[in-house]
């Protein structure tokens, strides 16, 4: 077989923030480390992150600290987060930001010269360290530079199609070069998955082409479990017009910097949607909200900065009630509230994005926005301290890992999650790999992986991958979207079962050299597994919570507050669900909710 082979201690799949931070940590712990990524180095999805990195550095508000950040994160996730992950995240995020600065990241500054921090939904204090609205670019630039400087091997434009395992756990990974189509295998006793999210299973999404849920599916195939898969975050503000750009993100920073949401009658409708949970902290009149912008310390937060699930549902309701914009969104107005100079300085990417893609000048007119599939809270179930999955030698960090964000992620908490848990995963993977050498990848396993990858070339007249992808995205959009019902999700599962049969009959034309149809044919099984996990778990959870809203079970149910849904791979390849009690939060942490309520 035409196969390139490599030998490492730790292989990191994914070169976003989580993958690069993991690789740096593994290398620093003495492991021979490689990073594999589908796109070019520096092009991972993290580069698109706009608003900032959440960390309780207390640069603007001395009263901010990890305990408040922990509380905000848990409340944003509607208490379903793994308490230990939320604790480690809140405690370690400030150090991870300062470390980035030490490595050369240039953050925006306060007038006193400290790292500036901006407001985001669900955070009690302004705590997002940022670089204009291009924070992800700076984060990736810094980590990438360090990765290269340390001499870590990077395999770019290379896709992993299978994890290799034996009875003792992980033995490596198998994949192909996207350009040549040639196969490559990495022998390694530890693999860190850092493959990001799943947005491409949906029709309208802020996610890039890479987000096909590969890591979620590869982990399950290897015997790991997924948790919280029913929770998908629909960001409240994606572009809605023109159709070619539908779904592209309009950063929350627009609202954090003063933008307000209005319906077609010109009303700031968010005042009508403040949940009891947040009533004490949220302004209930326009005058009160305006005072907050002037004097943030003493007043209550504007309702536009409620957690994302609340805002997305409110927009959905306004549009359904016939109070939407001409193109089915609502208005986001910063032009009437901030000077043109302020907008261009604070939100340069947004200014250009709307100018170039929609011919809208956001310094002079309102934007049209609506919900877009943005982030998956669900992912590989991991040990909070080491990010180890249930398969020995397998680790996961970043968006592919579950537990940290519970039922809903707060803005800014992903970039900090990547740094905190990427570092922990890399260090633990290096530790696991120590002394585990001298095994050989069996030829039969490699030949089997190659056969599976080439199968679409062997079929003639089968299904076209692009048609199947379109049908899947439409199914998830129509039937497992922002508002869900049992009959619709049952229908979705029937369609997914039919799509699985069609995927087993995919055929592609041409040859192995740069063949996007073949690449999609290999991504589609992952997208289907992930979609099935989401639909099954969403059908099972008979309540509404965070990123999961049931029209037929609109209330939040305290019984479900104690239960996680776990997805595993059944012997026939389908998705099996089990219920698992949430870990008990220690009393000193539980105390925080009483102190600050
Ligand atoms: P990614 O950065 O997506 O990296 C995934 C990597 O895995 C890529 O290198 C990819 O090539 C690789 N990969 C995937 N599958 C394979 C495979 N099979 N084989 C090999 N490689 C593979 N969060 C915040 O906290 N703050 C923000 O301001 C913010 N803004 C955002 C703006 C936008 C437009 C979007 C879409 C998201 C934003 N987020 C933000 C969320 C955040 O950016 C992501 O959750 C985060 O970047 C995910 O990082 P990651 O390292 O887990 O994965």
């Amino acid at each position: 077989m035409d196969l390139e082979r490599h030998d490492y201690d730790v292989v990191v799949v994914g070169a976003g923030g989580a993958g690069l931070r993991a690789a740096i940590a593994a290398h620093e712990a003495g492991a021979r480390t490689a990073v594999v990524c589908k796109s070019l180095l520096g092009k991972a999805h993290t580069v698109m992150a706009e608003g900032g990195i959440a960390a309780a550095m207390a640069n603007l508000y001395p009263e901010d600290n990890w305990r408040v950040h922990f509380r905000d994160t848990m409340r944003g996730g509607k208490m379903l987060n793994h308490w230990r992950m939320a604790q480690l995240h809140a405690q370690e995020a400030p150090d991870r930001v300062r470390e980035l600065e030490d490595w050369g990241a240039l953050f925006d500054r306060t007038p006193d010269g400290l790292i500036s921090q901006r407001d985001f939904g669900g955070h009690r204090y302004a705590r997002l360290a940022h670089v204009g609205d291009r924070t992800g670019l700076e984060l990736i630039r810094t980590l990438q530079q360090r990765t290269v400087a340390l001499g870590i091997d990077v395999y770019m434009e290379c896709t992993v199609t299978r994890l290799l395992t034996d009875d003792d756990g992980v033995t490596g990974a198998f994949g192909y070069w996207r350009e040549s189509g040639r196969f490559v295998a990495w022998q390694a006793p530890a693999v860190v998955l850092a493959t990001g999210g799943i947005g491409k299973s949906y029709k309208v999404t802020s996610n890039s082409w890479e987000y096909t849920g590969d890591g979620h599916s590869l982990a399950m195939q290897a015997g790991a479990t997924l948790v919280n898969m029913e929770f998908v975050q629909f960001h409240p503000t994606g572009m809605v017009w023109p159709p070619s750009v539908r779904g592209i993100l309009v950063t929350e920073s627009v609202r954090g910097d003063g933008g307000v949401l209005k319906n077609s009658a010109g009303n700031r409708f968010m005042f009508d949607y403040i949940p009891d949970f947040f009533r004490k902290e949220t302004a209930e009149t326009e005058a009160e909200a305006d005072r907050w912008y002037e004097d943030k310390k003493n007043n209550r937060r504007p309702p536009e900065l409620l957690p994302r699930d609340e805002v997305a549902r409110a927009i959905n309701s306004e549009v359904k009630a016939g109070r939407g914009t001409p193109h089915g969104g609502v208005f986001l107005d910063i032009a009437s509230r901030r000077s043109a100079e302020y907008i261009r300085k604070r939100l340069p990417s947004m200014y250009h994005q709307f100018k170039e893609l929609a011919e809208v000048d956001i310094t002079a007119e309102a934007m049209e926005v609506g919900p877009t599939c943005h982030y998956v809270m669900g992912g590989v179930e991991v040990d909070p301290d080491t990010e180890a999955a249930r398969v020995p030698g397998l680790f996961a960090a970043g968006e592919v890992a579950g537990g940290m964000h519970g039922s809903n992620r707060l803005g800014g908490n992903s970039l900090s999650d990547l740094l905190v848990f990427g570092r922990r995963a890399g260090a633990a993977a290096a530790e696991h790999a120590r002394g585990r050498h001298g095994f050989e990848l069996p030829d039969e396993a490699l030949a089997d992986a190659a056969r599976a990858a080439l199968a679409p070339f062997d079929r003639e007249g089968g299904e076209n991958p692009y048609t199947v992808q379109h049908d899947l995205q439409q199914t998830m959009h129509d039937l497992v979207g922002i508002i869900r019902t049992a009959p619709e999700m049952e229908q979705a599962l029937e369609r997914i079962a039919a799509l699985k049969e069609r995927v087993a009959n995919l055929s592609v034309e041409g040859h192995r050299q740069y063949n996007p149809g073949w690449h999609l044919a290999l991504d589609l099984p992952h997208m289907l597994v992930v979609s099935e996990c989401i639909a099954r778990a969403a059908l099972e959870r008979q309540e509404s919570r965070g990123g999961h809203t049931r029209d037929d079970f609109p209330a939040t149910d305290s019984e479900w507050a104690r239960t996680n849904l776990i997805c595993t791979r059944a012997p026939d390849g389908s998705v099996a669900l089990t219920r698992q009690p949430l870990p008990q939060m220690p009393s000193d942490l539980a105390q925080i909710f009483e102190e600050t309520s």
Side-chain angles (χ1 to χ4, degrees):
M1 185 178 34
D2 163 26
L3 176 75
E4 191 183 310
R5 288 175 185 247
H6 300 278
D7 185 6
Y8 288 97
D9 298 323
V10 175
V11 169
V12 179
V13 188
L20 292 179
R21 191 60 192 85
I24 292 167
H27 174 91
E28 285 174 345
R32 294 170 305 135
T33 305
V35 179
V36 187
C37 53
K38 267 181 171 181
S39 54
L40 290 169
L41 184 61
K43 294 278 183 187
H45 190 82
T46 300
V47 84
M48 292 167 74
E50 293 161 355
I53 311 174
M57 304 174 79
N59 287 355
L60 262 71
Y61 293 90
E63 55 273 54
D64 198 9
N65 58 54
W66 77 261
R67 294 160 75 85
V68 188
H69 192 183
F70 166 76
R71 185 210 63 159
D72 292 350
T73 300
M74 293 293 300
R75 282 179 57 176
K78 307 287 186 311
M79 306 303 284
L80 223 63
N81 326 49
H82 195 306
W83 63 266
R84 176 68 178 155
M85 292 182 91
Q87 179 193 21
L88 289 171
H89 167 258
Q91 286 175 333
E92 295 180 7
D95 280 349
R96 298 286 74 76
V97 173
R98 283 188 278 267
E99 174 182 76
L100 267 193
E101 193 179 43
D102 286 348
W103 294 348
L106 295 169
F107 289 99
D108 290 352
R109 319 304 295 187
T110 66
D112 302 336
L114 300 172
I115 291 178
S116 175
Q117 300 194 271
R118 69 156 44 112
D119 281 301
F120 248 50
H123 292 280
R124 180 74 189 91
Y125 300 111
R127 61 164 78 98
L128 266 70
H130 57 91
V131 185
D133 55 4
R134 297 172 181 149
T135 313
L137 175 64
E138 186 66 358
L139 186 146
I140 281 287
R141 185 190 68 75
T142 308
L143 293 179
Q144 172 189 333
Q145 220 161 27
R146 190 159 179 87
T147 302
V148 171
L150 291 173
I152 295 170
D153 291 347
V154 180
Y155 296 80
M156 50 185 160
E157 299 203 295
C158 203
T159 300
V160 169
T161 58
R162 193 173 277 196
L163 294 178
L164 304 167
T165 54
D166 64 14
D167 292 344
D168 296 327
V170 164
T171 54
F174 178 92
Y176 66 92
W177 290 103
R178 297 176 76 82
E179 196 179 340
S180 65
R182 286 181 55 219
F183 292 129
V184 50
W186 299 267
Q187 178 171 311
V191 170
V192 180
L193 290 172
T195 49
I198 59 95
K200 279 294 167 192
S201 286
Y202 283 85
K203 187 171 135 188
V204 178
T205 179
S206 63
N207 290 184
S208 70
W209 64 271
E210 289 170 273
Y211 267 24
T212 47
D214 302 11
H216 291 75
S217 156
L218 291 170
M220 255 177 101
Q221 206 178 22
T225 45
L226 305 188
V227 61
N228 295 154
M229 287 304 287
E230 64 274 40
F231 299 112
V232 176
Q233 182 170 82
F234 290 84
H235 193 290
T237 59
M239 292 177 83
V240 295
W241 189 258
S244 57
V245 299
R246 193 158 180 207
I248 292 183
L249 194 76
V250 180
T251 174
E252 197 165 318
S253 315
V254 178
R255 284 171 283 138
D257 285 350
V260 296
L261 291 165
K262 292 179 181 167
N263 60 19
S264 56
N267 294 328
R268 270 180 82 178
F269 57 86
M270 279 308 303
F271 288 107
D272 303 331
Y273 294 91
I274 302 167
D276 286 343
F277 205 43
F278 291 100
R279 202 158 277 284
K280 276 194 205 147
E281 308 183 338
T282 309
E284 297 199 31
T285 63
E286 219 165 317
E288 208 178 10
D290 280 346
R291 269 205 306 280
W292 178 86
Y293 279 117
E294 301 314 321
D295 178 8
K296 295 180 183 175
K297 275 189 190 165
N298 300 321
N299 292 290
R300 301 204 277 178
R301 309 173 62 72
E304 281 85 3
L305 290 182
L306 282 164
R308 288 174 176 174
D309 55 325
E310 311 287 352
V311 183
R313 271 194 298 275
I315 293 175
N316 202 56
S317 302
E318 287 297 301
V319 174
K320 266 197 172 163
R323 294 187 289 270
T325 63
H327 301 112
V330 294
F331 292 109
L332 174 57
D333 170 25
I334 191 165
S336 68
R337 306 176 59 84
R338 293 284 178 262
S339 71
E341 189 197 355
Y342 178 94
I343 296 169
R344 276 197 294 265
K345 178 158 180 271
R346 297 276 296 191
L347 303 162
S349 302
M350 285 302 106
Y351 175 74
H352 288 290
Q353 182 173 309
F354 273 89
K355 196 96 194 185
E356 276 159 34
L357 301 179
E359 292 181 2
V360 167
D361 178 356
I362 68 168
T363 66
E365 48 192 316
M367 298 155 252
E368 278 187 66
V369 295
T372 178
C373 174
H374 183 58
Y375 185 89
V376 64
M377 272 66 75
V380 181
E381 194 189 14
V382 291
D383 171 74
D385 288 78
T386 61
E387 315 338 302
R390 286 200 194 174
V391 180
L394 186 62
F395 300 80
E399 194 167 341
V400 69
M404 160 66 207
H405 305 285
S407 69
N408 178 49
R409 173 179 71 89
L410 294 186
N413 269 0
S414 172
L415 294 188
S416 37
D417 162 352
L418 311 182
L419 298 172
V420 168
F421 297 109
R423 171 179 162 273
R424 284 180 163 270
E431 179 59 32
H432 175 88
R434 204 155 286 145
R436 285 187 162 86
H437 290 294
F439 58 87
E440 280 285 314
L441 292 175
D443 286 343
E444 186 41 43
L446 298 171
D448 190 51
R451 263 195 304 275
L454 292 174
F457 286 112
D458 298 337
R459 300 186 201 106
E460 273 179 30
E463 286 274 354
N464 178 324
Y466 292 98
T467 315
V468 176
Q469 183 192 31
H470 170 270
D471 292 353
L472 174 65
Q473 290 173 332
Q474 194 70 50
T475 298
M476 294 303 283
H477 179 85
D478 293 344
L479 304 175
V480 202
I482 190 163
I483 308 285
R484 301 158 173 183
T485 65
E488 285 184 349
M489 287 185 287
E490 280 158 5
Q491 203 187 336
L493 284 165
E494 280 170 26
R495 288 202 202 165
I496 288 169
L499 286 165
K500 272 185 176 172
E501 286 176 21
R502 290 170 63 187
V503 161
N505 188 33
L506 287 177
S507 66
V508 293
E509 290 178 0
H511 42 71
R512 281 161 67 180
Q513 273 128 4
Y514 205 86
N515 185 337
W518 179 42
H519 301 168
L520 180 59
L522 298 180
D523 290 343
L524 269 168
H526 301 314
M527 294 165 80
L528 274 169
V529 167
V530 162
S531 302
E532 185 177 350
C533 289
I534 295 171
R536 280 203 191 287
L539 181 61
E540 180 83 359
R541 183 173 283 275
Q542 295 185 336
E543 65 153 356
S544 294
R545 181 183 298 272
H548 169 64
T549 304
R550 291 280 300 254
D551 215 19
D552 42 359
F553 294 95
T556 300
D557 180 339
S558 54
E559 268 311 301
W560 277 106
R562 292 190 264 278
T563 310
N564 273 333
L565 292 173
I566 305 293
C567 298
T568 42
R569 189 168 186 263
D572 66 355
S574 64
V575 174
L577 269 188
T578 48
R579 293 185 183 203
Q580 183 172 287
L582 241 65
Q584 180 77 34
M585 187 187 294
S587 55
D588 58 322
L589 291 182
Q591 177 73 21
I592 291 176
F593 296 88
E594 283 156 36
E595 282 167 19
T596 54
S597 65

